[in-house]
Amino acid sequence: MNRKNTVDAELAHRLSRRGMLGVTAGAGAAALLGLSAGTSAAAPSAAAAKKPAATRPVLPPGRLGIQLYSVRDKIQQIGFASVFKELSEFGYDEIEYAGYTQGIGSISVKQVARLAKSYGLNGIGSHVGYFTSDPNGYSFATSLGKVLDDAETLGLEHIGTASSPNRYGNTVDAWKRAAEEFNTYGEAAKARGMKFYQHNHGDEFGFASDNPDVRLYDVLLAETDPKYVFLEMDIYWAYTAQFRFSVTPQGKPRPFEPIDYVVQQPHRYPLFHVKDGVHDPDASDGYDMVDVGDGDIDYKTFIQKVNATNKGRTTHHWQVEHDQPVDSLEFARKSADHLHALTEKHKG
């Protein structure tokens, strides 16, 4: 499926109605409709008078991306250009980086950016390490300027980390200290016209080691400045955390719904990771990861609820991901097809 050749369903519906209205208003309408001149003026039947409900895609146009980590094996086998060509034909609009070479050898950031642009793929974000023990390593903590330079070269709107904020441990004060550093990175990113973000796994929703009533994710939200620090919710990992951390270590019920975090502060969630899972209570995380559309996560409802927030259809980006797909390009195709096929009724 190539999005460049895909007709917008809502637009096609409106145009078809306009065309029919134009025909029926002109000469020869009765003949075109198979009616005699006398019956064409009669009141239409109930079935004819009933207008079909307009529909539109649940996924906002131009907002579907993929985390390149999902197709790293294919990049290593056939190169960036061949993979980008496939992704474009599958209907992807955006890509999110996780490293800029994917193990293929020497390639510059400028070359990768040029290849992506040539296939109509917008670089929307990138995962970079929060910190490293190597003082000369590539991370926010050790190479902030270089990280932001590369992000600018790639034309990224967002630059973030998938590392846990547990650099100093899992106490409340440890996460406050990490949040302070995140604020610094976010302020520097904003000065370059970008948004700094943190991508969650499951452990972020666990409880502080020194206060088992405090959820660490809540500390991160409270202690980071919303002007500088944003979130990329990995929806799958949030659901696994719901399975693991709906009860405190002391046995107190503390259920939560991942979507509630977004609805309460939608402006803080410009990015989402869309990956799917089949609920398995015997699995350590409560889910087994599968291709998007093959699992139990109700993405139609989730995306609709995000869309219903203020500017919800124009301020969020959806990046599909699978950590270990059986066939990564087939996963990419199936996921795009599934998400593009989700529709909803819409008042035109």
Side-chain angles (χ1 to χ4, degrees):
M1 180 180 71
N2 189 330
R3 68 183 182 282
K4 294 184 178 65
N5 298 321
T6 301
V7 178
D8 180 272
E10 179 185 2
L11 178 61
H13 173 70
R14 290 205 306 266
L15 289 177
S16 65
R17 287 192 65 241
R18 288 175 186 168
M20 182 57 73
L21 289 173
V23 169
T24 55
L32 286 171
L33 293 173
L35 301 172
S36 69
T39 58
S40 64
S45 67
K50 185 178 180 180
K51 298 177 181 178
T55 61
R56 66 177 177 184
V58 170
L59 187 74
R63 297 279 163 160
L64 180 62
I66 185 169
Q67 166 53 255
L68 291 181
Y69 182 76
S70 304
V71 292
R72 62 195 181 278
D73 62 323
K74 295 300 183 184
I75 293 174
Q76 292 169 11
Q77 293 169 14
I78 61 178
F80 277 104
S82 296
V83 171
F84 286 169
K85 180 177 183 294
E86 294 287 338
L87 296 178
S88 179
E89 292 178 351
F90 295 159
Y92 286 97
D93 311 288
E94 302 171 339
I95 50 175
E96 183 184 35
Y97 296 93
Y100 304 130
T101 65
Q102 296 295 332
I104 67 168
S106 178
I107 186 170
S108 71
V109 173
K110 286 184 179 180
Q111 287 173 316
V112 174
R114 188 161 58 246
L115 280 172
K117 185 177 181 180
S118 70
Y119 288 101
L121 296 170
N122 178 44
I124 195 64
S126 179
H127 287 179
V128 176
Y130 166 21
F131 67 94
T132 173
S133 58
D134 180 358
N136 299 313
Y138 191 80
S139 72
F140 282 97
T142 54
S143 305
L144 179 59
K146 174 61 175 169
V147 168
L148 296 180
D149 287 345
D150 288 345
E152 278 193 304
T153 299
L154 288 162
L156 302 183
E157 300 174 39
H158 311 83
I159 180 70
T161 181
S163 305
S164 170
N166 66 352
R167 179 182 185 182
Y168 305 108
N170 285 320
T171 65
V172 172
D173 284 343
W175 276 53
K176 286 183 178 181
R177 185 177 175 186
E180 186 176 348
E181 293 182 343
F182 280 16
N183 287 332
T184 298
Y185 309 150
E187 188 172 6
K190 185 176 182 180
R192 306 263 197 126
M194 291 175 281
K195 293 179 179 179
F196 170 82
Y197 64 94
Q198 196 268 340
H199 164 282
N200 66 272
H201 291 88
D203 288 343
E204 285 89 335
F205 294 90
F207 299 96
S209 58
D210 61 335
N211 190 335
D213 287 325
V214 175
R215 196 181 299 279
L216 289 167
Y217 195 72
D218 296 338
V219 176
L220 180 67
L221 285 171
E223 296 296 325
T224 50
D225 190 327
K227 297 192 303 292
Y228 300 135
V229 178
F230 298 85
L231 293 308
E232 176 180 59
M233 178 174 281
D234 187 303
I235 300 165
Y236 170 86
W237 288 121
Y239 272 95
T240 69
Q242 184 187 52
F243 173 82
R244 295 170 59 200
F245 301 118
S246 285
V247 176
T248 71
Q250 298 171 325
K252 298 178 182 178
R254 283 290 300 279
F256 73 93
E257 289 295 336
I259 188 63
D260 290 346
Y261 279 101
V262 182
V263 171
Q264 289 164 11
Q265 300 188 68
H267 61 286
R268 297 201 72 179
Y269 292 88
L271 304 174
F272 294 91
H273 268 197
V274 178
K275 54 177 175 263
D276 213 343
V278 174
H279 183 52
D280 178 3
D282 294 326
S284 59
D285 287 325
Y287 285 85
D288 296 316
M289 195 178 298
V290 296
D291 293 351
V292 177
D294 290 344
D296 297 329
I297 298 178
D298 182 359
Y299 274 110
K300 179 175 180 176
T301 298
F302 195 99
I303 296 173
Q304 283 178 315
K305 288 184 177 180
V306 175
N307 288 345
T309 63
N310 184 37
K311 299 181 180 178
R313 290 185 65 87
T314 59
T315 56
H316 304 282
H317 304 262
W318 305 89
Q319 315 298 305
V320 304
E321 187 184 36
H322 193 309
D323 292 356
Q324 297 287 343
V326 174
D327 182 328
S328 61
L329 284 179
E330 177 64 9
F331 154 75
R333 184 196 64 77
K334 282 177 57 181
S335 300
D337 285 352
H338 174 73
L339 293 169
H340 279 130
L342 300 177
T343 60
E344 63 185 358
K345 292 182 180 179
H346 174 59
K347 294 180 180 180

